[in-house]
Coordinates of all heavy atoms in Angstrom, one line a residue:
M202 N 17.3 13.4 9.9 CA 17.4 12.2 9.1 C 17.3 12.7 7.6 O 16.3 13.4 7.3 CB 16.5 11.2 9.6 CG 15.1 11.1 9.0 SD 13.9 10.1 9.9 CE 13.5 8.9 8.7
D203 N 18.2 12.3 6.8 CA 18.0 12.7 5.4 C 17.5 11.5 4.6 O 17.0 11.7 3.4 CB 19.3 13.2 4.7 CG 20.5 13.2 5.6 OD1 20.4 13.8 6.6 OD2 21.5 12.7 5.1
K204 N 17.7 10.3 5.0 CA 17.2 9.2 4.3 C 16.1 8.5 5.0 O 16.1 8.5 6.2 CB 18.3 8.1 4.0 CG 19.4 8.6 3.1 CD 20.4 7.6 2.8 CE 21.4 8.1 1.7 NZ 22.5 7.2 1.5
P205 N 15.1 8.0 4.3 CA 14.0 7.2 5.0 C 14.5 6.0 5.7 O 15.6 5.4 5.2 CB 13.0 7.0 3.9 CG 13.8 6.9 2.6 CD 14.9 8.0 2.8
K206 N 13.9 5.6 6.7 CA 14.2 4.3 7.4 C 13.6 3.2 6.6 O 12.5 3.3 6.1 CB 13.6 4.3 8.7 CG 14.0 3.1 9.6 CD 13.2 3.1 10.9 CE 13.4 1.7 11.6 NZ 12.2 1.2 12.2
V207 N 14.4 2.1 6.5 CA 13.9 0.9 5.8 C 13.0 0.3 6.8 O 13.5 -0.4 7.8 CB 15.1 0.0 5.4 CG1 14.5 -1.4 4.9 CG2 16.0 0.6 4.4
A208 N 11.7 0.3 6.6 CA 10.7 -0.3 7.6 C 10.7 -1.8 7.5 O 10.5 -2.5 8.5 CB 9.4 0.3 7.3
A209 N 10.8 -2.3 6.2 CA 10.9 -3.7 6.0 C 11.4 -3.9 4.6 O 11.4 -3.0 3.7 CB 9.5 -4.3 6.1
T210 N 12.0 -5.1 4.4 CA 12.6 -5.3 3.0 C 11.6 -6.2 2.1 O 12.1 -6.9 1.2 CB 13.9 -6.0 3.2 OG1 13.8 -7.2 3.9 CG2 15.0 -5.1 3.8
C211 N 10.4 -5.9 2.3 CA 9.3 -6.6 1.5 C 8.1 -5.6 1.4 O 7.9 -4.9 2.3 CB 8.9 -8.0 2.0 SG 8.2 -7.9 3.7
P212 N 7.4 -5.8 0.3 CA 6.2 -5.0 0.3 C 5.0 -5.4 1.2 O 5.1 -6.6 1.7 CB 5.8 -5.1 -1.2 CG 6.4 -6.4 -1.7 CD 7.6 -6.7 -0.8
K213 N 4.0 -4.6 1.4 CA 3.0 -5.0 2.2 C 1.7 -4.9 1.3 O 1.4 -4.0 0.6 CB 2.7 -4.0 3.3 CG 1.6 -4.3 4.2 CD 2.0 -4.8 5.6 CE 0.9 -4.8 6.6 NZ 1.3 -4.3 7.9
Q214 N 0.9 -6.1 1.4 CA -0.4 -6.1 0.6 C -1.5 -5.3 1.3 O -1.7 -5.4 2.5 CB -0.8 -7.6 0.4 CG -2.0 -7.7 -0.4 CD -2.4 -9.2 -0.7 OE1 -1.5 -9.9 -1.1 NE2 -3.7 -9.6 -0.4
V215 N -2.1 -4.4 0.5 CA -3.1 -3.5 1.1 C -4.3 -3.6 0.2 O -4.3 -3.9 -1.0 CB -2.7 -2.1 1.2 CG1 -1.6 -2.0 2.3 CG2 -2.2 -1.4 -0.1
E216 N -5.5 -3.4 0.8 CA -6.8 -3.5 0.1 C -7.3 -2.0 0.0 O -7.5 -1.3 1.0 CB -7.8 -4.3 0.8 CG -7.4 -5.8 1.1 CD -7.1 -6.5 -0.2 OE1 -7.8 -6.3 -1.2 OE2 -6.2 -7.4 -0.1
L217 N -7.3 -1.4 -1.3 CA -7.7 0.0 -1.4 C -9.1 0.1 -1.8 O -9.5 -0.8 -2.5 CB -6.7 0.6 -2.5 CG -5.3 0.7 -2.2 CD1 -4.6 1.4 -3.4 CD2 -4.9 1.3 -1.0
E218 N -9.7 1.1 -1.3 CA -11.2 1.3 -1.6 C -11.3 2.6 -2.5 O -10.8 3.7 -2.1 CB -11.9 1.5 -0.3 CG -13.3 1.0 -0.3 CD -13.9 1.1 1.1 OE1 -13.4 0.6 2.0 OE2 -14.8 2.0 1.3
A219 N -12.0 2.4 -3.6 CA -12.1 3.6 -4.5 C -12.8 4.8 -3.8 O -13.7 4.7 -3.0 CB -13.1 3.2 -5.7
G220 N -12.2 6.0 -3.9 CA -12.7 7.2 -3.4 C -12.2 7.5 -1.9 O -12.4 8.5 -1.4
K221 N -11.5 6.5 -1.4 CA -11.0 6.7 0.0 C -9.6 7.3 0.0 O -8.8 7.0 -0.9 CB -11.0 5.3 0.6 CG -10.9 5.4 2.2 CD -11.1 4.0 2.9 CE -10.6 4.1 4.4 NZ -10.5 2.8 5.0
K222 N -9.4 8.1 1.0 CA -8.1 8.9 1.0 C -7.0 8.0 1.9 O -7.5 7.6 2.9 CB -8.3 10.3 1.7 CG -7.3 11.2 1.3 CD -7.7 12.7 1.9 CE -7.7 13.8 1.1 NZ -7.7 15.0 1.6
Y223 N -5.9 8.0 1.5 CA -4.9 7.3 2.2 C -3.6 8.1 2.3 O -3.3 9.0 1.5 CB -4.4 6.0 1.5 CG -5.5 5.1 1.4 CD1 -6.4 5.1 0.2 CD2 -5.7 4.0 2.3 CE1 -7.5 4.2 0.1 CE2 -6.8 3.1 2.1 CZ -7.6 3.2 1.1 OH -8.7 2.3 1.0
A224 N -2.8 7.9 3.4 CA -1.5 8.6 3.6 C -0.4 7.5 3.7 O -0.3 6.9 4.7 CB -1.6 9.5 4.9
Y225 N 0.4 7.5 2.6 CA 1.5 6.5 2.6 C 2.7 7.1 3.3 O 3.1 8.2 3.0 CB 1.8 6.2 1.1 CG 3.1 5.5 1.0 CD1 3.2 4.1 1.2 CD2 4.2 6.1 0.4 CE1 4.3 3.4 1.0 CE2 5.4 5.4 0.2 CZ 5.4 4.1 0.5 OH 6.6 3.4 0.4
C226 N 3.3 6.3 4.2 CA 4.4 6.7 5.0 C 5.7 6.8 4.0 O 6.0 5.8 3.4 CB 4.6 5.7 6.1 SG 6.3 5.8 6.9
T227 N 6.4 7.9 4.0 CA 7.5 8.1 3.2 C 8.8 8.0 4.1 O 9.9 7.9 3.6 CB 7.6 9.4 2.4 OG1 7.5 10.5 3.3 CG2 6.4 9.4 1.5
C228 N 8.7 8.2 5.4 CA 9.9 8.3 6.3 C 10.3 7.0 6.8 O 11.4 6.8 7.2 CB 9.6 9.3 7.5 SG 8.4 8.6 8.6
G229 N 9.4 6.0 6.8 CA 9.7 4.8 7.3 C 9.6 4.6 8.8 O 9.8 3.5 9.4
L230 N 9.3 5.6 9.5 CA 9.2 5.6 11.0 C 7.8 5.1 11.5 O 7.7 4.7 12.7 CB 9.5 6.9 11.6 CG 10.9 7.5 11.3 CD1 11.0 8.9 11.8 CD2 12.0 6.6 11.9
S231 N 6.8 5.1 10.7 CA 5.4 4.7 11.1 C 5.5 3.3 11.7 O 6.0 2.4 11.1 CB 4.4 4.9 9.9 OG 3.2 4.5 10.4
A232 N 4.7 3.1 12.7 CA 4.5 1.8 13.3 C 3.3 1.1 12.6 O 2.9 0.0 12.9 CB 4.2 1.9 14.8
N233 N 2.6 1.9 11.7 CA 1.5 1.4 11.0 C 1.8 1.3 9.5 O 1.0 1.6 8.6 CB 0.3 2.4 11.3 CG -1.0 1.9 10.6 OD1 -1.3 0.7 10.5 ND2 -1.8 2.8 10.1
Q234 N 2.9 0.7 9.1 CA 3.3 0.5 7.7 C 2.2 -0.2 6.9 O 1.6 -1.2 7.4 CB 4.7 -0.3 7.7 CG 5.8 0.5 8.2 CD 6.1 1.8 7.4 OE1 5.9 1.9 6.2 NE2 6.5 2.8 8.0
P235 N 2.0 0.2 5.6 CA 2.8 1.2 5.0 C 2.2 2.6 5.0 O 2.6 3.5 4.3 CB 2.7 0.7 3.5 CG 1.4 0.1 3.5 CD 1.1 -0.5 4.8
F236 N 1.2 2.8 6.0 CA 0.6 4.1 6.2 C 1.3 5.0 7.2 O 1.9 4.5 8.2 CB -1.0 3.8 6.4 CG -1.5 3.1 5.2 CD1 -2.0 1.8 5.5 CD2 -1.7 3.7 4.0 CE1 -2.6 1.1 4.4 CE2 -2.2 2.9 2.9 CZ -2.7 1.7 3.1
C237 N 0.9 6.2 7.2 CA 1.4 7.3 8.1 C 0.7 7.1 9.4 O -0.4 6.9 9.5 CB 1.2 8.7 7.5 SG 1.6 10.0 8.5
D238 N 1.5 7.3 10.5 CA 1.0 7.4 11.9 C 1.3 8.6 12.5 O 1.2 8.9 13.7 CB 1.3 6.2 12.7 CG 2.6 6.1 13.2 OD1 3.5 7.0 12.7 OD2 3.0 5.3 14.0
G239 N 2.0 9.6 11.9 CA 2.4 10.9 12.3 C 3.8 10.9 12.9 O 4.3 11.9 13.3
A240 N 4.6 9.7 12.7 CA 5.9 9.6 13.2 C 6.9 10.4 12.5 O 8.0 10.7 13.0 CB 6.4 8.1 13.2
H241 N 6.7 11.0 11.4 CA 7.5 11.9 10.7 C 7.7 13.2 11.3 O 8.6 14.1 10.8 CB 7.0 12.1 9.2 CG 5.7 12.8 9.2 ND1 4.4 12.1 9.2 CD2 5.3 14.0 9.1 CE1 3.4 12.9 9.2 NE2 3.9 14.2 9.1
S242 N 6.8 13.6 12.3 CA 6.8 14.8 12.9 C 8.3 15.1 13.5 O 8.9 14.3 14.1 CB 5.9 14.7 14.1 OG 5.9 16.0 14.8
G243 N 8.8 16.3 13.0 CA 10.2 16.7 13.3 C 11.2 16.3 12.4 O 12.4 16.6 12.4
T244 N 10.8 15.6 11.3 CA 11.7 15.3 10.2 C 11.3 16.1 9.0 O 10.3 16.9 9.0 CB 11.7 13.8 9.7 OG1 10.3 13.6 9.1 CG2 11.7 12.9 11.0
D245 N 12.0 16.1 7.9 CA 11.6 16.8 6.7 C 10.7 16.0 5.8 O 10.3 16.4 4.7 CB 12.9 17.1 5.8 CG 13.7 18.2 6.5 OD1 13.2 18.9 7.4 OD2 14.9 18.2 6.3
F246 N 10.3 14.8 6.3 CA 9.4 13.9 5.5 C 7.9 14.3 5.7 O 7.6 14.7 6.8 CB 9.6 12.5 5.8 CG 11.0 11.9 5.4 CD1 12.1 12.1 6.2 CD2 11.2 11.4 4.2 CE1 13.4 11.6 5.7 CE2 12.3 10.9 3.7 CZ 13.5 11.0 4.5
V247 N 7.2 14.1 4.7 CA 5.7 14.3 4.7 C 5.1 13.1 4.1 O 5.7 12.5 3.2 CB 5.2 15.6 4.1 CG1 5.6 16.8 4.8 CG2 5.6 15.7 2.6
P248 N 3.9 12.7 4.5 CA 3.3 11.5 3.9 C 2.8 11.8 2.4 O 2.6 13.0 2.1 CB 2.2 11.2 4.8 CG 1.8 12.5 5.5 CD 3.2 13.2 5.7
M249 N 2.7 10.7 1.6 CA 2.1 11.0 0.3 C 0.6 10.7 0.5 O 0.2 9.5 0.7 CB 2.8 9.9 -0.6 CG 2.2 10.0 -2.0 SD 2.9 8.6 -3.1 CE 4.5 9.2 -3.3
V250 N -0.2 11.7 0.3 CA -1.6 11.6 0.5 C -2.2 11.5 -0.9 O -1.9 12.2 -1.7 CB -2.2 12.8 1.3 CG1 -3.7 12.7 1.4 CG2 -1.6 12.9 2.7
F251 N -3.0 10.5 -1.1 CA -3.7 10.2 -2.3 C -5.1 9.6 -2.1 O -5.4 9.1 -1.0 CB -2.9 9.4 -3.2 CG -2.8 7.9 -2.6 CD1 -3.6 6.9 -3.2 CD2 -2.0 7.6 -1.7 CE1 -3.6 5.7 -2.6 CE2 -1.8 6.3 -1.2 CZ -2.6 5.3 -1.7
T252 N -6.0 9.7 -3.1 CA -7.3 9.1 -3.1 C -7.3 7.9 -4.1 O -6.9 8.1 -5.2 CB -8.3 10.1 -3.6 OG1 -8.2 11.3 -2.7 CG2 -9.7 9.5 -3.5
A253 N -7.6 6.7 -3.6 CA -7.7 5.6 -4.4 C -8.7 5.8 -5.7 O -9.8 6.2 -5.3 CB -8.0 4.4 -3.6
E254 N -8.2 5.5 -6.9 CA -9.2 5.7 -8.0 C -9.9 4.5 -8.2 O -11.1 4.5 -8.8 CB -8.2 5.9 -9.2 CG -7.7 7.4 -9.2 CD -6.8 7.6 -10.4 OE1 -6.7 6.8 -11.3 OE2 -6.2 8.7 -10.3
E255 N -9.5 3.3 -7.8 CA -10.3 2.1 -7.9 C -10.2 1.3 -6.6 O -9.1 1.3 -5.9 CB -9.9 1.4 -9.1 CG -8.5 1.1 -9.3 CD -8.1 0.4 -10.5 OE1 -8.9 -0.4 -11.1 OE2 -7.0 0.5 -11.0
T256 N -11.1 0.3 -6.5 CA -11.0 -0.7 -5.4 C -10.1 -1.8 -5.9 O -10.4 -2.4 -7.0 CB -12.4 -1.2 -5.0 OG1 -13.2 0.0 -4.5 CG2 -12.3 -2.2 -3.9
K257 N -9.0 -2.0 -5.3 CA -8.1 -3.0 -5.7 C -7.0 -3.4 -4.6 O -7.0 -2.7 -3.7 CB -7.3 -2.6 -6.9 CG -6.4 -1.5 -6.7 CD -5.4 -1.1 -7.9 CE -4.5 0.0 -7.5 NZ -3.7 0.4 -8.6
T258 N -6.5 -4.5 -4.9 CA -5.3 -5.0 -3.9 C -4.0 -4.4 -4.6 O -3.8 -4.4 -5.7 CB -5.2 -6.5 -4.0 OG1 -6.5 -7.0 -3.6 CG2 -4.1 -7.1 -3.1
A259 N -3.2 -3.9 -3.7 CA -2.0 -3.3 -4.1 C -0.8 -3.7 -3.2 O -1.1 -4.3 -2.1 CB -2.0 -1.7 -4.1
H260 N 0.4 -3.6 -3.6 CA 1.5 -4.0 -2.8 C 2.4 -2.7 -2.6 O 3.0 -2.2 -3.6 CB 2.3 -5.1 -3.5 CG 1.5 -6.3 -3.6 ND1 0.6 -6.6 -4.7 CD2 1.4 -7.4 -2.7 CE1 0.0 -7.8 -4.4 NE2 0.5 -8.3 -3.3
F261 N 2.3 -2.2 -1.4 CA 3.0 -0.9 -1.1 C 4.4 -1.2 -0.6 O 4.6 -2.0 0.2 CB 2.2 -0.1 -0.1 CG 1.1 0.6 -0.8 CD1 0.7 0.5 -2.1 CD2 0.3 1.6 0.0 CE1 -0.3 1.2 -2.7 CE2 -0.7 2.3 -0.6 CZ -1.0 2.1 -1.9
C262 N 5.3 -0.3 -1.0 CA 6.7 -0.4 -0.6 C 6.9 -0.1 0.9 O 6.3 0.9 1.4 CB 7.5 0.6 -1.4 SG 9.2 0.9 -0.9
Q263 N 7.7 -0.9 1.5 CA 8.0 -0.6 2.9 C 9.6 -0.4 3.1 O 10.0 0.1 4.1 CB 7.7 -1.8 3.8 CG 6.2 -2.1 3.8 CD 5.8 -3.2 4.9 OE1 5.5 -2.9 5.9 NE2 6.1 -4.4 4.6
C264 N 10.3 -0.6 2.0 CA 11.8 -0.3 2.1 C 12.1 1.2 1.9 O 13.1 1.6 2.1 CB 12.6 -1.2 1.2 SG 12.5 -0.8 -0.6
K265 N 11.1 1.8 1.2 CA 11.1 3.3 1.0 C 12.2 3.6 -0.1 O 12.6 4.8 -0.2 CB 11.3 4.1 2.2 CG 10.4 3.8 3.4 CD 8.9 3.8 3.0 CE 8.1 3.4 4.2 NZ 6.6 3.3 3.9
Q266 N 12.6 2.7 -0.9 CA 13.7 2.9 -2.0 C 12.9 2.8 -3.4 O 13.6 3.0 -4.4 CB 14.8 1.9 -1.9 CG 15.4 1.8 -0.5 CD 15.9 3.1 0.0 OE1 16.6 3.7 -0.8 NE2 15.5 3.4 1.1
T267 N 11.6 2.5 -3.4 CA 10.9 2.3 -4.7 C 11.1 3.6 -5.6 O 11.0 4.7 -5.0 CB 9.5 1.9 -4.5 OG1 8.9 1.7 -5.7 CG2 8.7 3.0 -3.7
G268 N 11.0 3.5 -6.8 CA 11.0 4.6 -7.7 C 9.5 4.9 -8.2 O 9.3 5.8 -8.9
S269 N 8.5 4.1 -7.8 CA 7.2 4.4 -8.1 C 6.3 4.3 -6.9 O 5.3 3.6 -6.8 CB 6.7 3.5 -9.2 OG 6.8 2.1 -8.7
A270 N 6.6 5.1 -5.8 CA 5.8 5.2 -4.6 C 4.4 5.5 -4.9 O 4.1 6.3 -5.8 CB 6.4 6.2 -3.7
P271 N 3.4 4.9 -4.1 CA 3.7 4.0 -3.0 C 3.8 2.6 -3.4 O 4.1 1.7 -2.6 CB 2.3 4.3 -2.3 CG 1.4 4.4 -3.3 CD 2.0 5.2 -4.3
N272 N 3.9 2.2 -4.7 CA 4.0 0.8 -5.1 C 5.4 0.3 -5.0 O 6.3 1.0 -5.3 CB 3.4 0.7 -6.5 CG 1.9 1.1 -6.5 OD1 1.0 0.5 -5.9 ND2 1.7 2.2 -7.2
C273 N 5.5 -1.0 -4.7 CA 6.7 -1.7 -4.7 C 7.2 -1.9 -6.2 O 6.4 -2.2 -7.0 CB 6.5 -3.1 -4.2 SG 7.9 -4.3 -4.4
D274 N 8.5 -1.6 -6.5 CA 8.9 -1.7 -7.9 C 10.1 -2.8 -7.9 O 10.7 -2.9 -8.8 CB 9.4 -0.4 -8.5 CG 10.7 0.1 -7.9 OD1 11.2 -0.5 -6.9 OD2 11.2 1.1 -8.4
G275 N 10.3 -3.5 -6.8 CA 11.3 -4.5 -6.7 C 12.6 -4.1 -6.1 O 13.5 -4.9 -6.0
S276 N 12.7 -2.8 -5.9 CA 14.0 -2.3 -5.3 C 14.5 -2.8 -4.1 O 15.6 -2.8 -3.7 CB 13.9 -0.7 -5.3 OG 13.6 0.0 -6.5
H277 N 13.5 -3.4 -3.3 CA 13.8 -4.0 -2.0 C 14.8 -5.1 -2.1 O 15.5 -5.4 -1.2 CB 12.6 -4.4 -1.3 CG 11.8 -5.5 -2.0 ND1 10.9 -5.2 -2.8 CD2 11.9 -6.8 -2.1 CE1 10.4 -6.3 -3.4 NE2 11.0 -7.3 -2.9
K278 N 14.9 -5.6 -3.4 CA 15.8 -6.8 -3.5 C 17.3 -6.3 -3.4 O 18.2 -7.1 -3.1 CB 15.7 -7.4 -4.9 CG 14.3 -8.1 -5.1 CD 14.1 -8.6 -6.4 CE 12.7 -9.2 -6.6 NZ 12.2 -8.9 -7.9
N279 N 17.6 -5.0 -3.5 CA 18.9 -4.5 -3.4 C 19.2 -3.8 -2.1 O 20.2 -3.2 -1.9 CB 19.2 -3.5 -4.6 CG 19.0 -4.1 -5.9 OD1 19.3 -5.2 -6.1 ND2 18.3 -3.4 -6.7
V280 N 18.2 -3.9 -1.1 CA 18.3 -3.3 0.1 C 18.7 -4.1 1.3 O 18.0 -5.2 1.4 CB 16.9 -2.5 0.4 CG1 16.9 -1.8 1.8 CG2 16.6 -1.4 -0.6
S281 N 19.6 -3.8 2.1 CA 19.9 -4.5 3.3 C 19.4 -3.6 4.4 O 19.5 -2.4 4.5 CB 21.3 -4.8 3.5 OG 22.1 -3.6 3.3
Q282 N 18.8 -4.3 5.5 CA 18.3 -3.5 6.6 C 19.2 -3.2 7.6 O 20.2 -3.9 7.8 CB 17.1 -4.3 7.2 CG 16.1 -3.4 7.9 CD 14.7 -4.2 8.2 OE1 14.8 -5.4 7.9 NE2 13.8 -3.5 8.5
Ligands
FES303 S1 9.3 -3.0 -0.7 FE1 10.3 -1.2 -1.4 S2 10.6 -1.6 -3.6 FE2 9.7 -3.4 -2.8

C-alpha cells in the first residue's frame, strides 16, 4: 500500500497528558484510531511517536491527509471514503 487508508472523514477528539508518550497511526489501518495498534506491520508506514508537551484536548486526523499530523487541518473536507 502506498497511500494511507482513510480511517474516517472526521477528526477524533483526544485528551493528551503532559509527559505521556503517544503513537499516532499514519497508515489508517489501526482499529484503535487515531492511535497505532500495530496494524502497519508489513507496510512501509510507521507510527508517529511523540511525547505530549502539555495536558490538553486535541483533534487528531483520521483521514490521514492532514498537512499537520497528528492534528486535523480541515483536509478531510476534500476526502471521500
Ligand atoms: S480528519 Fe484528516 S484533516 Fe481532518
Side-chain angles (χ1 to χ4, degrees):
M202 88 191 243
D203 5 305
K204 290 189 176 172
K206 180 185 172 222
V207 175
T210 52
C211 60
K213 178 103 167 231
Q214 183 173 310
V215 294
E216 305 299 329
L217 302 178
E218 209 176 297
K221 197 171 166 189
K222 205 180 230 189
Y223 297 90
Y225 169 72
C226 166
T227 61
C228 69
L230 297 175
S231 171
N233 184 35
Q234 292 297 328
F236 300 111
C237 174
D238 72 352
H241 62 273
S242 179
T244 73
D245 290 336
F246 290 88
V247 290
M249 177 186 286
V250 178
F251 67 97
T252 302
E254 288 176 6
E255 54 181 329
T256 297
K257 65 174 184 179
T258 300
H260 294 86
F261 278 6
C262 171
Q263 298 190 97
C264 75
K265 311 303 175 184
Q266 309 301 311
T267 181
S269 60
N272 298 296
C273 168
D274 72 352
S276 296
H277 61 268
K278 291 178 191 144
N279 306 317
V280 174
S281 53
Q282 203 162 13

